[in-house]
Amino acid sequence: QVQLVESGGGLVQPGGSLRLSCAASGSIDNILAMGWYRQVPGKQRELVARIRTDGSINYLDSVKGRFTISRDNAKNTVYLQMNSLKPEDTAVYFCSVDQVTRSSWGQGTQVTVSS
């Protein structure tokens, strides 16, 4: 089993910043990628950013230039720095870990962008 502990969500004004963190523990061998997804009620969960073990990164088009994903391999932690936040970024953000045999998800952390 993999345990993922997320932190860093909250309420922020438009234009503000937040940093999400996700620490992985447990059976965390053979990690292929770590990433962040988000979901709003009534919509499918969408990939926000994903970083593979080889360092390659994918971003959702709407967050390019504003969000930065990074990973601390020594701490098995993935971060999402979110700048210039917009109301449309409001969602529950989920951490994910992809391994050879399974994918694991965190509980989610609420990000609300509102004045």
Side-chain angles (χ1 to χ4, degrees):
Q1 293 288 349
V2 174
Q3 292 79 45
L4 300 175
V5 178
E6 300 148 332
S7 61
L11 172 65
V12 64
Q13 292 186 342
S17 298
L18 284 174
R19 188 192 194 207
L20 305 182
S21 300
C22 173
S25 61
S27 301
I28 52 175
D29 55 308
N30 299 318
I31 291 179
L32 301 175
M34 300 181 76
W36 292 94
Y37 290 71
R38 69 187 183 187
Q39 189 170 23
V40 298
K43 291 191 176 182
Q44 285 190 327
R45 191 172 296 187
E46 63 180 357
L47 173 66
V48 177
R50 187 171 182 255
I51 182 167
R52 295 176 180 81
T53 303
D54 65 3
S56 60
I57 293 173
N58 294 106
Y59 288 106
L60 180 67
D61 283 347
S62 63
V63 309
K64 287 179 180 178
R66 300 188 297 121
F67 291 10
T68 302
I69 189 170
S70 61
R71 178 177 168 181
D72 185 332
N73 291 327
K75 296 181 179 179
N76 293 308
T77 299
V78 63
Y79 305 96
L80 185 68
Q81 178 66 43
M82 304 186 293
N83 299 328
S84 302
L85 282 160
K86 303 176 181 181
E88 51 264 42
D89 295 318
T90 295
V92 178
Y93 284 70
F94 297 88
C95 172
S96 73
V97 170
D98 296 329
Q99 296 172 279
V100 173
T101 58
R102 63 188 169 200
S103 295
S104 302
W105 295 89
Q107 296 280 5
T109 184
Q110 177 71 45
V111 171
T112 302
V113 185
S114 175
S115 55

